[in-house]
Amino acid sequence: MTGGMDGRAEDRGRVYQASGDQHISEHHHHGAEAAAPGGPDSVRRPAVGQPPVVLRDRSEVLERLRASVRAERGGEVYVLYGMGGCGKTAVAYTLFHLAAGEHGRVGLWVSASDRASLRAGMLAVAADRGADDGELLAARNGLRPAADLVWQYLDRSPEPWLLVLDNADHPEILRDGNWLRTSPRGTVVVTTRRSAARWWPGAELQHIGVLPREDAARVLCDLAPHSGTREQAAEIADRLGRLPLALTLAGGFLSHQVLDPWTMETYGRRLDGEERVALIDQGADALSDEDPRHLVGLTWQLTLDAFEARGLPEATALLRLLARFAPEPLPLALLNRAEIGDVLPRARCEIALRALLDQSLTELVDVEARCAQSHGVLLDSVAAATPADAVPVLNSTAVRLLDAAVPATPDAGPHDPLLRLLVPHGLALLRRVGDDVSAAADALAVVTRLCVALHRTGDYLSAGETARTAADLAERRLGAEHRLVLAARSRAGRALFRLGRYAEAEQLLGQVRTAQERLFGADDPDTLDSGHGLQLVLGNLGRPEEALALLRATVIGRRRTLGPVHPLTLRSRSSLLVLLSAADVATEDDGALLSLPDVCVRALGPDHTVTLGAHHNHAWAMYQLGRLDAADQEIRLVTAAYRRRFGPDYPIALSAQQLLARTRAALGHPDAAVDLMTDVVARRERALGPGHPFTVASRRLLDDLASGNRHPPRT
């Protein structure tokens, strides 16, 4: 016998579900107080410990299941699958009582969590349906197939039934004993974490996920009605990932506090702490058994133990690596890299990922790229339980994987969806690294480079918010004056400028540049980078003299530190073509400034963005000097190159088109100029909003051109 229960029943007793070798006697008391069929431990009662307190937003799946039991038809198998804590058992429990109470079905509940429980429970089902002691003894002793006996009596059942096989997280147990079958007399419902269809041939699979926001908030309000408002409950629900188990525990905690009751607001603040998982699990009933399935800190450990037992330690290693990242979609390309080798062999990553998918610990999603996504509470739980000696290599590997996914030298370019997908994972790394200063510094360097890449695709809002958040997170471990923290704040200032928030940009960039100059010197590359950004702000604030003085100092510093043909040196020199007056541009640098585009072509190539920018600014200088045909021809080429490479909505492409409108008007083509500027205004209003300074300036230029002004003032 492969395991089960060596038990017997006396008199008119039944054999009950049990695990291990047990002798169970049932004593019947006939008359008015006779016990209900099946005692408190029988298969007629769901073995779920405490029943679910509330059930929200499962109406669609419940209605489909109810239709099956209501129609008194049979032969169906429904598999409810999902991650631990998502409420699969709660759905089955509710259906069980609806079937038994409203639809006249016999409800039968069996724990399928292990071989012993499954075998004992199914034999108890056979006993309930009429198998006698001799038949049960023969099945227990291996003299007849136990599963055949069970299904023989299920098929003969005089009443229709509903059989729940709960926690069937090892479907091979069902397969090996041929325990899972269909019958015209009943419906089978299986709850499991295993999602692969190969385990459930012929069954209808139903995913049980997290709750919608409104229903998740109602769960908290149902459990702790006096702790806060519906909106506060919704905010906490979002923080808990709307996972039913976590919501139930949180509501239990809030409702049971006696000496020092907490509000939802207090609970929400405490969720920001390092002991987030332990706080959630405090909602468990202190007097009840600590069933791992009832605690978010332990429920997934069952699966990790199963990985080890099946010889799949790589699946545990991969899940611990995923726990360094965020609960948002993570591009699969990030995992398919040689850098993962310090945590698990790259060749085993595919097998490990499939194991996580099969156990509903992650899922595949497609959001402009193929991604894996795991629940936040799961990741927090796994991170909290990760052995301390494994954390440094997990941190360093996660940083290297992210580093490999971010462009080494970010350049201007069109929208890249991958970049924005990486943002939450970079910030999560900064939160996860703890006191690992080296990992914090490395992670911040990568995230700052990511911000540069976002900035150069025109996604200034993401770039600015990411840089600010990254600097705030890293400052706690590295200090406010760490080089990398200051560099991240400088990037935030550059984004503020592009967002039209000039006063904030000036203040932030000024503070950062002052600190960098004091700490690292005036010619330090970081100081010079902040200086270049600050001069752009000053120029747009109507302070051209200050901007020009700072730009000249930046050019000198970059020439001395980086060399005369470094891309950043050439970029700063190119800006002089815009800030200098027409009289000065021809004499600056002994006239060499006007030949800057040729220098860029020789040093960087004709298609480099710095080269295109030099042509753009050179066309402006030609316009200022009155060389309109040359300006018009050059800016036409630049506009076409920008639009072809980056798209018509790219900010620099619109700036080039705006200059083209000026040259067209100056050359006597007012209608073409107005058409060009009308398009610029429409695109800027759509991208930036009507109140953005760039939009306002473009609309002012359109009005001037529409009024017939061939040489409108610079805006």
Side-chain angles (χ1 to χ4, degrees), residues 471 475 480-494 496 504-521 524 526-531 534:
E475 184 177 309
E481 294 192 335
H482 191 282
R483 175 184 288 276
L484 293 171
V485 173
L486 290 171
R489 297 214 182 278
S490 181
R491 293 312 312 178
R494 299 286 287 272
L496 286 171
E504 295 172 72
E506 181 199 8
Q507 181 180 18
L508 181 55
L509 285 170
Q511 291 173 347
V512 170
R513 180 174 175 272
T514 298
Q516 289 170 328
E517 187 171 18
R518 172 172 53 82
L519 294 166
F520 316 128
D524 182 84
D526 287 357
T527 307
L528 294 168
D529 190 65
S530 296
L534 182 57

Side-chain angles (χ1 to χ4, degrees), residues 1-6 19-21 114-120 123 138-147 172-179:
M1 191 166 66
T2 59
M5 179 184 77
D6 183 14
S19 178
D21 297 333
D114 56 68
R115 292 181 188 276
S117 296
L118 174 65
R119 184 179 180 84
L123 286 174
R140 288 197 302 274
N141 291 335
L143 299 178
R144 65 178 299 176
E172 59 272 15
I173 297 174
L174 296 173
R175 181 190 62 193
D176 293 346
N178 197 20
W179 290 107

Side-chain angles (χ1 to χ4, degrees), residues 5 16 33 50 68 115 138 167 221 223 254 296 327 354 404 422 441 455-456 459 487 522 579 584 612 633 690 696 715:
M5 179 184 77
Y16 294 133
E33 297 183 0
Q50 293 184 336
S68 176
R115 292 181 188 276
N167 294 327
C221 291
L223 293 169
L254 289 169
V296 297
R354 287 206 303 263
L422 296 177
H455 187 105
R456 292 182 179 169
D459 191 355
L579 273 184
D584 291 336
L612 292 175
Q633 182 179 3
V696 172
T715 56

Side-chain angles (χ1 to χ4, degrees), residues 133-170:
D133 289 348
E135 292 172 306
L136 293 170
L137 183 61
R140 288 197 302 274
N141 291 335
L143 299 178
R144 65 178 299 176
D148 288 351
L149 174 69
V150 174
W151 284 98
Q152 172 186 325
Y153 277 92
L154 285 171
D155 288 342
R156 295 177 181 176
S157 174
E159 304 95 356
W161 46 260
L162 170 72
L163 171 62
V164 175
L165 300 176
D166 191 33
N167 294 327
D169 298 333
H170 304 285

Side-chain angles (χ1 to χ4, degrees), residues 406 410 430 441-455 463 466-467 470-471 483-492:
V406 177
L430 286 168
D442 292 342
L444 179 58
V446 175
V447 174
T448 302
R449 199 170 81 244
L450 175 60
C451 294
V452 176
L454 287 165
H455 187 105
T466 303
R483 175 184 288 276
L484 293 171
V485 173
L486 290 171
R489 297 214 182 278
S490 181
R491 293 312 312 178

